[in-house]
Amino acid sequence: MSTPFTDAIRTASQAHVKPEGKKFSYGTAGFRMKAELLESVIFRVGLLAAIRSRKLGGKTIGVMITASHNPPEDNGVKLVDPMGEMLEGSWEKYGTQLANAETEDDLVEAFAQICEEQKINNETAANVVYARDTRPSGPLLVRALESGLSAVGANSVDYNILTTPQLHYIVRCLNSDGLYGTPSEAGYYEKLATAFIKLMENKAALGPVTVDCANGVGGPSLRKLAEYIPKEVLEFNIVNDDVDSPAKLNHQCGADFVKTQQKLPPGLEVTPLGRYASLDGDADRIVYYFTAQDGTFHLLDGDKIASLAASFLGDLAKAAGLGNIKVGVVQTAYANGASTAFIEKSLRLPVSVTATGVKHLHHEAATKYDIGVYFEANGHGTVLFNSNCLYLIQKGHEPKSPAEATALEYLRSLTDLINQAVGDALSDLLFVEVALAHKSWSVNEWSGLYTDLPNRLVRVEVEDRTIFQTTDAERKLISPPGIQELIDACVGKYKQGRSFARASGTEDAVRVYAEAASKGEADILAYKVAEVVAAARMPSS
Ligand code: 16G
Ligand code: MG
């Protein structure tokens, strides 16, 4: 089999040789590993992006080069589909197939096979846009990508350094005939800032918010965004924004550090009851936190953000006279049980649970609810408004009072403020600020919505993590046989006990989560379940 690009691919790929014998896999976060291993992978992602664009009649596809919260020496790459969503799951295997082609001949063959299977017309234009975060390995990897794109005749535009959600936003703009926004970095800031300023009109100033940017791309981006927002509306105190010292990236700072360590980034000066937030290295994740008067640390994680968002939006929908639209929340098994109980029992809103990974939550929120709030406990998330809801907000619903008209106006601005393409730390930051201002809540009041059940996360190294197969949104193991019964027996011994084990999608390990009525019990439960996992074997046949 051959394609019009066979020779060009063969020649160009000689400059981006695959590390011999290395196995790659397009996973939850695309491809991610030590940057020095990635060059051939990224060259081949260029080929895949072009095929994907041709398959969709020339729609623009995005390629983002980032390794998010990983250490500075890592890098990664993922594809963005036309509406700004993650690459459709059924195409991930093609990424894996191209990345693993051992020789140049294998590569041109794999390319031709995918084109054949997907019935690609290689005369269709292919359009691809790309960006990278601030990692030092970025420029070299961008050149590998460009080499792949040009070998297969794709038109491409380099958007240089952006946050991951900014690239998702631009891809969506480019495929929406200008209806979603202006496809540029400035267009993004303008859209968010305009909506934010409108939503904060006549609201009492909250005092400054301090944002730890993980020394990643979120720092320069937030600085630019802040220029569009007058200080009287909101003052940003931007810290950990040194992108010129690569070793500092994600080191002892950022959302992942704060969430996993449950403590302040070292060196951060805090005022009791002030608002603090941390972004991750590519700014698609955010957590808030504060210290109480007595100095104790309080985390306001993705579950708390989801609870705030659901409470705010549920009230606003009612105030707008849209009592019939379905507001719901999507979480994963990692959501603290107290947050789920709060949303279901106090807010009386439905909760659905999906497997870990933004694409799963996003899909559920988009298809199940008119206003779908989704957040992972780790801070990935956003709020989606479906077409029915957008129609009602924009013109379908005639307000019956000035109060309804105002609430509708707020909802309209929120659809501009909240990134509809993907979870976005900068957009979420502004959204949280709006929700707190509208509710006149301090961090204390927000934190007091519910009290987290004590919990514990343990990482277990196993010989073969693929034997751990789950069902029921990863809450139950169906393999190895008999293991779930052992876990259930452990859980049954603890008050308010809950625990599950799942193979990580990003590391070679199994993760065990446990929660219970007290910290001591949560710890013991996690270790008991970890022991069960460590001892598990498949029956030999
Ligand atoms: C990736 C996912 C994140 C998920 C995490 C789980 C995206 C953009 N990122 O970072 O949503 O929480 O993986 O990691 O989907 P794990 O499988 O190692 O626990
Ligand atoms: Mg990230």
Side-chain angles (χ1 to χ4, degrees):
M1 265 189 282
S2 79
T3 66
F5 308 114
T6 297
D7 291 342
I9 297 174
R10 195 178 269 124
T11 311
S13 75
Q14 285 164 7
H16 313 286
V17 178
K18 175 182 180 293
E20 212 181 309
K22 173 85 189 149
K23 284 267 166 283
F24 299 109
S25 163
Y26 194 110
T28 336
F31 293 106
R32 196 179 291 181
M33 67 204 79
K34 293 274 161 286
E36 71 225 27
L37 295 171
L38 260 177
E39 208 186 309
S40 66
V41 173
I42 295 209
F43 170 81
R44 292 152 190 229
V45 163
L47 311 189
L48 182 63
I51 305 178
R52 182 80 183 140
S53 175
R54 291 197 167 107
K55 172 72 184 181
L56 300 173
K59 285 221 157 52
T60 302
I61 296 297
V63 178
M64 182 70 202
I65 299 179
T66 176
S68 183
H69 62 276
N70 283 35
E73 60 277 13
D74 288 8
N75 216 328
V77 63
K78 50 189 171 185
L79 261 68
V80 180
D81 259 359
M83 290 315 279
E85 336 85 305
M86 309 276 172
L87 173 69
E88 186 184 300
S90 64
W91 274 62
E92 292 177 0
K93 62 175 184 286
Y94 297 134
T96 304
Q97 188 182 345
L98 288 169
N100 287 325
E102 208 50 53
T103 64
E104 282 133 32
D105 285 343
D106 294 344
L107 179 60
V108 292
E109 185 62 27
F111 180 84
Q113 245 179 33
I114 298 167
C115 290
E116 163 96 8
E117 198 174 311
Q118 287 293 332
K119 305 200 171 25
I120 302 299
N121 176 356
N122 273 308
E123 282 171 14
T124 308
N127 296 299
V128 179
V129 295
Y130 53 90
R132 61 182 172 94
D133 68 14
T134 52
R135 285 163 202 268
S137 55
L140 182 90
L141 294 174
V142 160
R143 281 199 287 282
L145 175 68
E146 285 166 345
S147 160
L149 291 168
S150 81
V152 292
N155 308 314
S156 63
V157 180
D158 181 359
Y159 276 84
N160 299 307
I161 295 179
L162 291 180
T163 70
T164 295
Q166 285 176 329
L167 184 74
H168 285 255
Y169 160 88
I170 284 170
V171 169
R172 191 176 175 116
C173 291
L174 289 167
N175 291 301
S176 310
D177 296 328
L179 290 175
Y180 189 64
T182 311
S184 67
E185 193 184 348
Y188 168 92
Y189 299 128
E190 267 160 30
K191 177 168 172 159
L192 261 59
T194 307
F196 181 68
I197 292 165
K198 236 174 161 177
L199 283 156
M200 295 296 271
E201 254 169 43
N202 305 321
K203 299 288 161 202
L206 294 167
V209 58
T210 299
V211 188
D212 151 29
C213 300
N215 294 313
V217 62
S221 296
L222 181 56
R223 282 210 182 280
K224 290 184 215 164
L225 174 62
E227 282 170 23
Y228 291 77
I229 298 172
K231 277 208 169 52
E232 310 75 67
V233 178
L234 180 64
E235 195 177 337
F236 298 91
N237 177 20
I238 301 172
V239 299
N240 295 332
D241 64 333
D242 179 359
V243 292
D244 297 323
S245 315
K248 291 188 182 170
L249 174 65
N250 297 318
H251 182 66
Q252 303 241 305
C253 58
D256 198 60
F257 175 87
V258 174
K259 170 73 182 160
T260 54
Q261 307 283 318
Q262 309 252 333
K263 63 179 188 198
L264 297 169
L268 190 69
E269 282 172 30
V270 292
T271 314
L273 300 180
R275 298 187 317 294
Y276 296 84
S278 286
L279 319 179
D280 75 336
D282 64 336
D284 66 350
R285 225 174 118 172
I286 187 167
V287 293
Y288 265 73
Y289 44 93
F290 68 101
T291 57
Q293 295 289 7
D294 65 359
T296 48
F297 172 82
H298 293 265
L299 181 65
L300 299 155
D301 63 1
D303 298 339
K304 276 270 155 77
I305 298 176
S307 304
L308 171 68
S311 165
F312 176 46
L313 289 163
D315 288 354
L316 209 51
K318 274 190 213 125
L322 300 173
N324 287 334
I325 65 167
K326 200 167 172 196
V327 181
V329 179
V330 185
Q331 302 188 307
T332 72
Y334 289 108
N336 195 280
S339 73
T340 314
F342 169 78
I343 296 162
E344 287 180 335
K345 300 203 175 104
S346 301
L347 299 181
R348 298 183 173 278
L349 294 174
V351 173
S352 12
V353 183
T354 70
T356 303
V358 170
K359 65 181 177 202
H360 301 296
L361 291 102
H362 189 95
H363 178 78
E364 179 80 4
T367 52
K368 196 137 177 209
Y369 301 111
D370 294 315
I371 299 182
V373 175
Y374 77 83
F375 274 91
E376 290 189 314
N378 63 19
H380 278 290
T382 191
V383 179
L384 300 180
F385 301 86
N386 74 1
S387 53
N388 173 44
C389 179
L390 287 175
Y391 169 74
L392 290 171
I393 292 173
Q394 277 150 7
K395 50 178 180 271
H397 177 72
E398 194 58 47
K400 294 184 186 55
S401 66
E404 276 197 16
T406 308
L408 272 177
E409 192 60 44
Y410 287 150
L411 280 169
R412 244 173 255 144
S413 295
L414 285 167
T415 63
D416 284 333
L417 182 71
I418 306 174
N419 194 327
Q420 296 297 286
V422 77
D424 178 342
L426 298 183
S427 158
D428 289 340
L429 172 76
L430 298 184
F431 174 49
V432 166
E433 294 294 315
V434 165
L436 292 176
H438 278 240
K439 288 203 163 267
S440 305
W441 278 355
S442 67
V443 278
N444 233 344
E445 284 160 302
W446 175 18
S447 176
L449 289 180
Y450 61 85
T451 305
D452 271 330
L453 276 171
N455 56 88
R456 181 78 194 216
L457 189 62
V458 180
R459 185 178 184 278
V460 191
E461 305 239 345
V462 293
E463 210 168 277
D464 177 9
R465 78 186 202 272
T466 62
I467 65 170
F468 296 89
Q469 300 287 335
T470 60
T471 183
D472 191 20
E474 303 180 324
R475 290 174 291 190
K476 287 199 160 42
L477 281 165
I478 45 172
S479 157
I483 188 171
Q484 188 57 46
E485 288 72 12
L486 297 174
I487 295 178
D488 291 343
C490 295
V491 171
K493 293 186 188 137
Y494 299 91
K495 203 172 151 214
Q496 290 182 279
R498 182 171 76 89
S499 182
F500 64 91
R502 59 173 275 280
S504 159
T506 62
E507 288 172 34
D508 195 9
V510 169
R511 298 196 201 285
V512 170
Y513 175 88
E515 62 187 32
S518 72
K519 182 71 183 128
E521 286 171 301
D523 286 347
I524 300 172
L525 177 55
Y527 283 106
K528 293 268 180 228
V529 174
E531 274 173 19
V532 169
V533 167
R537 299 276 176 282
M538 288 303 266
S540 46
S541 49

